[in-house]
């Protein structure tokens, strides 16, 4: 199930589901470790003897964020109880504190006794073995801990704090957890439990007729008891409501720090642009790892997850954020890449947020032949993105700091990992991580990476290296035009495979060949690029009411239909936007921008109610498929909007 709402600060990330339940809690890295792991931290309400958890079907939910912020705005109404809850959730922009505000509105004409229940279902350090949950009387809190991970829970109804509490065993023998204890409106008060445990706390209010009262709930995360006690005291001393308001103001100013003229883009497109900036920020760790996605429910279909830093995703996301004017948040990404680069000068398949190498399915030997288990585009794209960032922001000192350890080492590898017969990069895995060969996307990325390295070398007066890198890049360009262009089909092919000692073209329609213009091999309006993109647009469009573009013809990943002619694959947001990018870059008049503008509106239409973008869409009903939010989807939307605005300004200037 996708995550409908995400909040975070670069080291503390929380995902909420459609019921406003915490489902993932990552600390101390974004994407590592998950201390909830997809379980439900339930929230319930008892009103005059009647009880309901927030996932009961009677609740009517509306999910949103406070405009231009990382503070949620969730409305939940229960007609039978005569109660409406307005909930705001946020993570403090600096401290590792989760804050929740609930305005409780009583629609009845009598005073109502209301008790709110919060269940804490943690598996600290991603295992339920050896956790402790305990009541701490010194400050009337409940805390969970294991080793050097502490989580303290508290709240306030004004002058009153926690009303009742209980700790207990969960998911062991017949014990379901203390959340069951809440359903009669009372908690037993068990003061400590260890092993596989949970806790539940409650708060009591008396809500006047046709009026509202406010409740606050919060959690602090730290390395020991003293740290979380200090965070709890900070919330109480500062007042949780004031902290929430300050979080709102911070993110609103962050999202609007650059003045933009949005021209003819409608308010919903503008709103999703700013929300995408914010969501990318939540998925970016302070130490540099840009995480693909942190939706742990993907583990139900594959016993792994997306909480890794793929250098491919990271580089393209960093590129987008830099172009949008957010260089400061992506500088650590390039330092991260420099630190994890292999001695040979390439980047591995993927990395954990702490910089260790992530799990992989790329083998070192296949069919008896030794191979390098990499996607070479990942190494190349980092240099491409770094040069784009330098052109935008001109940080000479930062580029110089990476010249020896990242730029030159990566360029040396790319310059030597060449098939001399074809003048193309040697085989590696494609960007979709599915097949091994020589690909148009990869070759284009390597061209872009080597041109970037040449430009940096020239910038620093290193003319010999600059000429060498450029010469190799031009050879690769010649190899692309000779071997990856098909004259009969008048388009660039997906790639080449070795079969029986011969290189054979893969003619599958493939969205990623957009790299030909994106990474500078040819301009977007070159007829070879245009004919390729026209073929992709015609052949990969999903011919249902949903529309959108597939990754490639006959895409099997989360396949929803075997009618390949109608549905070549599920529509992917990034692939649909790649076509829009081409239309923007090749536009000659403002009228030419009409179609890509409609694509931006299409993305808005199929965003989740909260504004979160998934990886794919169901081709028949538009529901999210696979993980959500996918950072790459949000970043590609950001980049497409930026390109649109830049092109609109350019074309409008010409028409004056």
């Amino acid at each position: 199930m996708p995550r409908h709402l995400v909040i975070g600060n670069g080291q503390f990330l929380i995902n909420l589901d459609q019921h406003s339940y915490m489902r993932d809690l990552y600390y101390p890295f974004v994407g590592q470790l998950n201390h909830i792991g997809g379980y439900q931290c339930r929230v319930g309400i008892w009103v005059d003897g009647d009880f309901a958890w927030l996932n009961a079907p009677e609740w009517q939910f509306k999910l949103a964020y406070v405009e231009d912020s990382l503070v949620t705005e969730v409305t939940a109404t229960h007609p039978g109880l005569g109660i409406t809850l307005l909930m705001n959730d946020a993570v403090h922009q600096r401290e590792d504190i989760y804050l929740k505000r609930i305005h409780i509105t009583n629609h009845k004409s009598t005073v109502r006794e209301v008790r709110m229940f919060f269940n804490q279902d943690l598996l600290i350090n991603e295992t339920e073995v050896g956790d402790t949950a305990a009541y701490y009387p010194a400050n009337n809190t409940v805390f969970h801990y294991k080793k050097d991970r502490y989580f303290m829970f508290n709240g306030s109804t004004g002058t009153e704090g926690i009303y009742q509490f209980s700790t207990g065993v969960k998911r062991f023998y017949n014990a379901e957890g203390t959340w069951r204890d809440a359903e009669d409106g009372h908690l037993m008060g068990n003061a400590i439990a260890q092993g596989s445990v949970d806790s539940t706390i409650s708060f009591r209010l008396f809500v006047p007729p046709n009026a509202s009262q406010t409740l606050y709930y919060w959690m602090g995360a730290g390395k020991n008891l003293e740290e979380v006690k200090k965070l709890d005291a900070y919330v109480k001393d500062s007042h949780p409501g004031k902290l929430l308001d300050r979080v709102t103001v911070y993110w609103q100013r962050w999202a609007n720090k650059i003045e933009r003229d949005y021209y003819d883009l409608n308010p919903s497109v503008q709103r999703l642009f700013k929300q995408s900036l914010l969501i990318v920020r939540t998925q970016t760790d302070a130490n540099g790892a840009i995480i693909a996605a942190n939706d742990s429910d993907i583990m139900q279909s594959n016993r792994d997850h997306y909480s890794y830093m793929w250098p491919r995703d990271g580089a393209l996301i960093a590129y987008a954020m830099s172009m949008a004017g957010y260089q400061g948040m992506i500088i650590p990404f390039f330092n991260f890449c420099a630190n994890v680069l292999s001695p040979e000068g390439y980047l591995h398949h993927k990395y954990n947020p702490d910089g260790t190498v992530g799990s992989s399915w790329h083998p070192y030997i296949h069919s008896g032949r030794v191979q390098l288990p990499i996607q070479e585009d990942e190494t190349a794209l980092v240099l491409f993105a770094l040069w784009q960032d330098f052109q935008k922001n001109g940080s000479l000192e930062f580029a110089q700091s990476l010249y020896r350890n990242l730029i030159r080492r990566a360029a040396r590898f790319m310059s030597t990992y060449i098939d001399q017969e074809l003048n193309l990069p040697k085989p590696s895995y494609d960007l979709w991580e599915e097949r091994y060969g020589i690909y148009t996307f990869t070759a284009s990325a390597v061209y872009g990476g080597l041109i970037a390295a040449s430009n940096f070398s020239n910038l620093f007066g290193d003319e010999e290296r600059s000429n060498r890198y450029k010469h190799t890049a031009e050879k690769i360009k010649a190899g692309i035009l000779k071997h990856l262009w098909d004259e009969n089909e008048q388009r660039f092919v997906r790639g080449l495979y070795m079969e029986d000692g011969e290189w054979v073209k893969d003619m599958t329609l493939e969205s990623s060949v957009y790299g030909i213009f994106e990474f500078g091999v040819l301009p977007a309006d070159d007829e070879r690029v245009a004919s390729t993109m026209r073929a992709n647009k015609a052949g990969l469009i999903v011919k249902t009411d949903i529309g959108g573009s597939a990754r490639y013809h006959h895409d099997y990943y989360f396949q929803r239909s075997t009618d390949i002619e109608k549905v070549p694959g599920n529509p992917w947001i990034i692939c649909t936007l790649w076509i829009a990018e081409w239309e923007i870059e090749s536009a000659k008049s403002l009228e030419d921008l009409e179609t890509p503008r409609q694509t931006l509106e299409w993305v808005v239409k199929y965003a989740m109610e909260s504004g979160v973008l998934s990886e794919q869409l169901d081709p028949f009903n538009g529901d999210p498929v696979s993980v959500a939010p996918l950072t790459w989807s949000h970043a590609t939307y950001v980049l497409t909007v930026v390109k649109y605005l830049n092109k609109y300004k350019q074309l409008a200037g010409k028409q004056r």
Side-chain angles (χ1 to χ4, degrees), residues 11-14 22 24-29 32-37 41 91 96-98 119-127 130-136 139-154 162 167 170 197-199 201 217-232:
Q11 61 223 10
F12 192 49
L13 172 68
I14 290 174
M22 284 193 290
D24 301 296
L25 189 169
Y26 294 95
Y27 170 81
F29 298 96
Q32 183 186 343
L33 300 148
N34 189 346
H35 304 286
I36 295 177
C41 290
V91 166
D96 296 325
I97 299 168
Y98 166 55
N119 171 243
Q120 291 76 228
D121 187 348
L122 272 58
L123 54 160
I124 300 175
N125 293 343
E126 301 185 345
T127 171
D131 286 7
T132 299
Y135 176 68
Y136 192 67
N139 59 4
N140 190 28
T141 62
V142 166
F143 71 101
H144 290 225
Y145 75 94
K146 179 163 60 192
K147 297 182 178 178
D148 61 346
R149 301 282 179 261
Y150 281 71
F151 303 91
M152 181 169 276
F153 303 88
N154 203 351
I162 291 176
T167 67
K170 69 182 181 192
V197 298
D198 76 336
S199 67
I201 59 178
Y217 167 82
W218 63 84
M219 166 186 58
K223 295 184 176 66
N224 53 54
L225 183 59
E226 291 306 310
E227 280 193 12
V228 292
K229 283 165 59 180
K230 287 179 181 177
L231 291 176
D232 179 71

Side-chain angles (χ1 to χ4, degrees), residues 519-576:
F519 310 130
V521 179
L522 293 171
D525 58 0
D526 184 283
E527 183 51 38
R528 290 163 292 187
V529 174
S531 61
T532 299
M533 295 303 293
R534 286 195 297 265
N536 272 357
K537 184 173 182 178
L540 294 179
I541 191 168
V542 176
K543 301 176 184 69
T544 67
D545 291 341
I546 304 305
S549 185
R551 282 196 303 174
Y552 52 80
H553 193 261
H554 206 164
D555 185 0
Y556 63 87
Y557 189 48
F558 288 106
Q559 188 177 50
R560 291 292 194 264
S561 173
T562 56
D563 185 355
I564 303 305
E565 293 311 307
K566 182 178 180 181
V567 184
N570 297 337
W572 279 55
I573 290 170
I574 60 171
C575 303
T576 307

Side-chain angles (χ1 to χ4, degrees), residues 190-251:
N190 186 48
I192 194 165
Q194 62 87 215
S196 177
V197 298
D198 76 336
S199 67
T200 303
I201 59 178
S202 71
F203 302 88
R204 183 172 66 165
L205 310 91
F206 292 91
V207 186
N210 299 305
S212 301
Q213 296 274 39
T214 302
L215 158 72
Y216 295 97
Y217 167 82
W218 63 84
M219 166 186 58
K223 295 184 176 66
N224 53 54
L225 183 59
E226 291 306 310
E227 280 193 12
V228 292
K229 283 165 59 180
K230 287 179 181 177
L231 291 176
D232 179 71
Y234 170 68
V235 175
K236 285 186 282 194
D237 292 344
S238 302
H239 191 277
K242 291 180 179 179
L243 288 181
L244 265 165
D245 293 341
R246 281 154 55 183
V247 172
T248 304
V249 169
Y250 175 83
W251 289 119

Side-chain angles (χ1 to χ4, degrees), residues 133-187:
Y135 176 68
Y136 192 67
N139 59 4
N140 190 28
T141 62
V142 166
F143 71 101
H144 290 225
Y145 75 94
K146 179 163 60 192
K147 297 182 178 178
D148 61 346
R149 301 282 179 261
Y150 281 71
F151 303 91
M152 181 169 276
F153 303 88
N154 203 351
S156 166
T157 60
T159 58
E160 299 296 322
I162 291 176
Y163 174 59
Q164 292 180 331
F165 67 88
S166 198
T167 67
V169 175
K170 69 182 181 192
R171 292 190 291 276
F172 190 68
Y173 289 110
N174 295 320
E176 292 184 86
T178 59
W179 60 275
R180 279 294 189 197
D181 186 26
E183 292 178 342
D184 62 357
H186 297 274
L187 295 171

Side-chain angles (χ1 to χ4, degrees), residues 16-79:
L16 305 167
D17 67 14
Q18 72 271 40
H19 310 298
S20 195
Y21 288 1
M22 284 193 290
R23 299 294 297 274
D24 301 296
L25 189 169
Y26 294 95
Y27 170 81
F29 298 96
V30 171
Q32 183 186 343
L33 300 148
N34 189 346
H35 304 286
I36 295 177
Y39 289 108
Q40 301 178 74
C41 290
R42 294 169 171 84
V43 180
I45 186 169
W46 179 95
V47 186
D48 293 338
D50 293 321
F51 185 91
W53 294 110
L54 292 192
N55 63 351
E58 295 81 6
W59 289 99
Q60 301 164 2
F61 273 88
K62 182 180 178 183
L63 307 180
Y65 285 87
V66 176
E67 188 170 359
D68 299 348
S69 81
L70 284 173
V71 178
T72 72
E73 190 168 69
V74 176
T75 303
T77 298
H78 194 300

